DNA sequence: TCACAGTGTAAACACGTGTTCACCCGGAGG
DNA sequence: CCTCCGGGTGAACACGTGTTTACACTGTGA
């Protein structure tokens, strides 16, 4: 019990510096840069985390824990799956988390996979309640529909980052707030009114493969 | 006129090897790996392209040219923006291009930006025609709606890659074909029927910001 | 006071990278 | 014949990387 607070203090300082640098520069960021941000040497990082890969894993866990903690607190108003990010995008202190999560999405990290799985399962519950309450139409496959609504947010972010012609690390809270604001109108319009003037295309498609045509259909939704 | 065919032969061999390796391993792929794939030395790559960055640029241009050439030929049936990819995903010979394009999307390359801009402008035309013909409902902002429909394809791809728990380079034509097939039903359903059972949410939102509320609204659609 | 464990550092190591340099080979031109 | 020149190579260079090692400082316990 000597003085573990001091030790764990620099440890979390390294960890937060790593989250920030990974988010700004990508996961190729060097240990020396992270160490410099934390005000220590690269060897200290190794002492505390053993390896860069291990540091990356602990960053993933840390980000997931922080987001999860915030989520359970701000659960009430989230409905479309994107509103959480919308709220978070407005807050300066969440920018490192946003950047890190986006990096993880683009690099294929555990943070993105776990976060996405968790958010989708929650959204599935919300949607089921919405359908039961009569606010939402039922779907032929609720899980695929949830994945589709998430696609909108994710694809919108990717396109916006691409159009910005800047690196992910340079984008600030204003950018994300504007990005999500801009998405709201067309998304609500599509959700409320659809796109096709009639149902012929859908009906033709459903006829083409009458529900499941004997093949693997709905039980293997992903993977 | 000595024998430039032979020379330009190894040049394009290097270029195609680079497109393939960049697509499989990302843009961090080493020149030596690319050179080995092309059956030459790393120095030869430098002789032909000057630098790795220059090679990357020429790969971008090459991929754009090939896709563009194929697009203008298969223009007639493309409508949703994803159908092009759907077709391409089925063909083995386009796998390197798919992988490269996807890498460019995730890394923020010029290929993705240009390709996206081009495809969206085409989609805008198609949509205008669809609206005029009465097949599609008009939108409050056609450009944002186009961006939204593209979001669905892009976000769906990102989520599918993420769920695969494999690196982008290991995914084959079957994966992409299944991915797009799976997307078709929920997309058509959403396009045909919408999501909300009534229009109250949309109307509340449109009321909240009565068209443009005096702020920057529709003229700055991106960037 | 001494020994010790914890915390951190500077220097070195081993390796992979993009790039350059000196050189070779083969065929066209004098 | 020799010369030259484009296409190509292997070895080296300079550098940045993750990791390891030997060493300092600091405060606590006996």
């Amino acid at each position: 019990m000597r003085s573990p607070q001091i030790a764990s203090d620099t440890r979390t300082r390294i960890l937060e510096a790593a989250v920030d640098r990974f988010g700004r520069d990508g996961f190729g960021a060097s240990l020396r840069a992270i160490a410099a941000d934390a005000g220590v040497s690269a060897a200290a990082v190794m002492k505390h985390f053993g390896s860069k890969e291990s540091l990356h894993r602990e960053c993933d866990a840390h980000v997931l824990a922080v987001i999860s903690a915030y989520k359970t607190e701000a659960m009430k108003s989230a409905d479309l799956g994107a509103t959480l990010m919308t709220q978070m995008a407005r807050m300066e202190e969440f920018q490192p988390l946003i950047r890190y999560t986006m990096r993880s999405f683009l690099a294929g990290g555990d943070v993105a996979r776990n976060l996405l799985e968790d958010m989708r399962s929650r959204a599935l519950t919300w949607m089921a309640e919405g359908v039961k309450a009569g606010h939402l139409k039922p779907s032929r496959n609720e899980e695929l529909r949830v994945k589709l609504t998430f696609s909108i947010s994710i694809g919108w972010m990717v396109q916006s980052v691409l159009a910005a012609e800047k690196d992910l690390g340079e984008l600030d809270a204003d950018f994300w707030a504007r990005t999500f604001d801009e998405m709201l109108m067309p998304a609500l319009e599509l959700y409320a009114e659809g796109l096709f003037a009639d149902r012929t295309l859908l009906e033709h498609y459903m006829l083409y493969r009458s529900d499941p045509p004997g093949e693997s259909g709905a039980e293997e939704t992903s993977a």
Side-chain angles (χ1 to χ4, degrees), chain A:
Chain A
M1 209 164 283
R2 304 135 216 294
S3 55
Q5 339 31 2
I6 298 180
S8 68
D9 176 48
T10 76
R11 201 192 129 93
T12 65
R13 216 171 58 234
I14 291 175
L15 212 155
E16 284 170 6
V19 168
D20 196 53
R21 263 254 127 22
F22 280 150
R24 287 186 192 279
D25 302 347
F27 295 110
S30 79
L31 281 188
R32 284 171 176 82
I34 295 170
D37 287 357
V40 297
S41 70
V45 179
M46 295 299 296
K47 266 243 158 63
H48 277 284
F49 295 92
S51 73
K52 187 187 186 181
E53 193 186 340
S54 169
L55 172 63
H56 185 162
R57 273 197 301 270
E58 296 224 26
C59 283
D60 277 12
H62 179 243
V63 168
L64 272 177
V66 173
I67 291 182
S68 180
Y70 175 74
K71 250 188 328 191
T72 57
E73 188 175 347
M75 177 76 69
K76 33 245 169 202
S77 66
D79 51 341
L80 289 181
T83 41
L84 172 68
M85 284 293 180
T86 310
Q87 296 170 12
M88 286 177 62
R90 297 180 191 285
M91 305 184 209
E92 302 282 347
E93 75 256 31
F94 278 107
Q95 281 310 112
L97 293 189
I98 296 259
R99 276 194 294 261
Y100 188 96
T101 305
M102 196 69 189
R103 284 277 178 215
S104 186
F105 263 92
L106 298 183
D110 282 345
V111 165
R113 185 163 27 245
N114 291 344
L115 186 59
L116 196 58
E117 219 162 296
D118 185 77
M119 289 175 74
R120 286 209 301 220
S121 82
R122 293 179 199 273
L124 201 60
T125 310
W126 302 331
M127 280 223 176
E129 291 172 359
V131 170
K132 198 182 294 180
H135 302 133
L136 303 180
K137 298 180 180 177
S139 171
R140 289 157 186 77
N141 186 323
E142 300 286 354
E143 294 195 12
L144 290 184
R145 181 163 74 172
V146 166
K147 183 174 174 181
L148 197 80
T149 60
F150 274 80
S151 295
I152 294 179
S153 304
I154 295 170
W156 192 273
M157 290 166 79
V158 171
Q159 285 185 85
S160 300
V161 171
L162 215 51
E165 300 214 32
K166 280 206 267 185
D167 193 74
L168 231 174
E170 309 173 37
L171 301 173
D172 56 355
D174 265 14
F175 169 84
W176 291 113
R178 273 189 286 110
T179 294
F180 285 113
D181 274 352
E182 196 189 47
M183 185 184 72
L184 220 48
M185 193 279 284
L188 289 180
E189 185 184 81
L190 180 63
Y191 290 153
E193 305 178 339
L195 168 66
F196 298 151
D198 53 51
R199 302 167 40 108
T200 54
L201 242 85
L202 174 63
E203 282 164 1
H204 276 72
Y205 174 76
M206 297 309 291
L207 213 69
Y208 166 66
R209 57 165 54 189
S210 47
D211 278 29
E215 259 276 24
S216 68
E219 65 279 15
E220 191 198 80
T221 56
S222 60

